[in-house]
């Protein structure tokens, strides 16, 4: 049973989400402040966190950043802050998805399912997402049971994206990590070219990618929302 932590100061909304998730067989813990939410996080293990930004004692953005220092647990912001700038700040702080209030509980449930599915891994160092299967030990990639041939750079790029599934990676961070691995310079244009080629090999429709999403003005992430 997946365990979810709610950090939301609106008592009625908090309890409403809890009841809805419990009906769908999730285990749910409720908290109403930054400090209470962080205490839950440090004391227990969760599969996902629903986090409000406008908390009474401190911003949820700061809580997200604090959690990201030690954990990659999926985080979905649920907030009244709905401008484009707000959304960008949310992803830069480390969230996996962002939902503006008001929203339906059904849509929230589907978003939770999608995020948990993107984070899904199996044993033996194998990653599975939709039709994509990656055996990291064998360095083997398959799409719908068909082997996908990748260049060394494409494979390293795919590994970086999938091992950070659900996280938004900035172009700068990707370039820095590829440089660390290759010990060679990879420029912005080379990154764009490799990303395009990777999409051509993995996506059904590279022009409308499902797996490798562009977060405009920031970078890339594995998985849609």
């Amino acid at each position: 049973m997946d365990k979810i932590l709610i950090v939301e100061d609106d008592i009625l909304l908090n309890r409403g989400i809890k009841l809805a998730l419990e009906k769908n067989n999730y285990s749910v813990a409720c908290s109403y402040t930054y400090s209470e939410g962080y205490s839950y996080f440090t004391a227990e293990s969760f599969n996902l966190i629903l986090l409000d930004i406008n908390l009474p004692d401190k911003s949820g953005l700061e809580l997200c950043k604090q959690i990201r220092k030690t954990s990659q647990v999926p985080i979905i912001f649920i907030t009244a802050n709905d401008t484009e700038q707000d959304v960008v700040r949310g992803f830069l702080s480390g969230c996996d998805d962002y939902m503006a209030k008001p929203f339906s509980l059904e849509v929230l449930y589907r978003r939770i399912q999608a995020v948990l599915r993107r984070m899904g891994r199996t044993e033996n160092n194998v990653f599975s997402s939709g039709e994509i299967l990656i055996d990291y030990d064998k360095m083997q990639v398959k799409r719908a049971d068909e082997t996908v041939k990748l260049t060394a750079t494409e494979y390293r790029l795919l590994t970086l994206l999938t091992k950070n599934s659900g996280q938004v990676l900035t172009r700068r961070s990707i370039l820095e990590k590829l440089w660390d691995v290759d010990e060679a310079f990879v420029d912005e244009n080379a990154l764009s070219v490799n990303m395009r080629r990777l999409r051509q090999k993995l996506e059904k429709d590279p022009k409308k990618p499902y797996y490798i999403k562009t977060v405009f003005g920031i970078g890339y992430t594995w998985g849609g929302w």
Side-chain angles (χ1 to χ4, degrees), residues 3-5 46-51 64 67-68 71-77 94-97 112 115-120 165-167:
K3 191 171 183 179
I4 295 176
L5 172 63
F46 294 94
N47 299 98
L48 184 140
I49 298 174
L50 297 176
L51 178 58
C64 185
I67 290 172
R68 282 289 171 257
S71 173
Q72 293 301 314
V73 61
I75 297 174
I76 300 177
F77 276 124
C95 78
D96 299 276
D97 201 351
I112 290 171
V115 169
L116 291 175
R117 186 167 58 248
R118 291 202 304 271
M119 300 301 292
S165 177
Q167 303 300 309

Side-chain angles (χ1 to χ4, degrees), residues 208-223:
K208 297 179 180 179
Y210 174 78
Y211 297 111
I212 303 173
K213 293 282 190 177
T214 298
V215 182
F216 292 102
I218 303 176
Y220 303 95
T221 184
W222 179 270

Side-chain angles (χ1 to χ4, degrees), residues 175-195:
L175 289 168
E176 289 174 350
K177 287 180 172 63
L178 289 181
W179 183 320
D180 289 340
V181 172
D182 292 341
E183 297 182 356
F185 179 70
V186 180
D187 63 20
E188 289 269 348
N189 184 61
L191 175 58
S192 297
V193 169
N194 279 280
M195 196 68 74

Side-chain angles (χ1 to χ4, degrees), residues 9 11 16 18 33 52 76 80 82 94-96 103 107 131-132 136-138 150 152 156 176 178 193 209:
D9 66 331
I11 296 175
K18 180 178 187 294
T33 64
D52 188 14
I76 300 177
D82 59 358
C95 78
D96 299 276
F103 51 78
V107 172
E131 294 184 331
I132 306 301
Y136 296 120
D137 293 331
K138 296 179 180 178
L150 301 177
R156 285 193 287 268
E176 289 174 350
L178 289 181
V193 169

Side-chain angles (χ1 to χ4, degrees), residues 27-72:
S27 174
V28 182
C30 295
S31 59
Y32 303 91
T33 64
Y34 175 107
S35 57
E36 189 178 15
Y38 188 65
S39 294
Y40 266 108
F41 164 74
T42 55
E44 302 180 35
S45 177
F46 294 94
N47 299 98
L48 184 140
I49 298 174
L50 297 176
L51 178 58
D52 188 14
I53 289 179
N54 301 312
L55 298 171
D57 52 346
K58 203 171 182 180
S59 170
L61 293 170
E62 294 304 315
L63 179 53
C64 185
K65 292 176 183 177
Q66 184 66 27
I67 290 172
R68 282 289 171 257
K69 291 180 180 180
T70 58
S71 173
Q72 293 301 314

Side-chain angles (χ1 to χ4, degrees), residues 85-205:
Q85 189 174 27
D86 290 326
V87 176
V88 170
R89 285 174 180 166
F91 280 109
L92 287 175
S93 72
C95 78
D96 299 276
D97 201 351
Y98 194 104
M99 294 191 66
K101 300 174 184 176
F103 51 78
S104 76
L105 293 177
E106 176 65 19
V107 172
L108 175 62
Y109 171 61
R110 298 301 177 187
R111 293 286 188 93
I112 290 171
Q113 284 186 311
V115 169
L116 291 175
R117 186 167 58 248
R118 291 202 304 271
M119 300 301 292
R121 286 175 172 80
T122 59
E123 296 179 354
N124 302 321
N125 207 21
V126 174
F127 175 87
S128 176
S129 177
E131 294 184 331
I132 306 301
L133 185 70
I134 305 170
D135 188 322
Y136 296 120
D137 293 331
K138 296 179 180 178
M139 298 180 68
Q140 184 180 67
V141 180
K142 290 187 176 182
R143 176 189 166 208
D145 295 326
E146 295 290 331
T147 299
V148 180
K149 294 183 179 180
L150 301 177
T151 66
T153 300
E154 289 167 355
Y155 178 77
R156 285 193 287 268
L157 183 55
L158 176 61
T159 299
L160 181 61
L161 288 168
T162 55
K163 286 192 173 182
N164 292 276
S165 177
Q167 303 300 309
V168 177
L169 301 178
T170 66
R171 293 180 64 89
R172 179 181 294 276
S173 70
I174 294 173
L175 289 168
E176 289 174 350
K177 287 180 172 63
L178 289 181
W179 183 320
D180 289 340
V181 172
D182 292 341
E183 297 182 356
F185 179 70
V186 180
D187 63 20
E188 289 269 348
N189 184 61
L191 175 58
S192 297
V193 169
N194 279 280
M195 196 68 74
R196 183 169 64 251
R197 289 175 178 170
L198 195 55
R199 281 172 168 158
Q200 289 172 344
K201 294 178 180 182
L202 299 179
E203 302 282 1
K204 288 184 177 180
D205 184 355

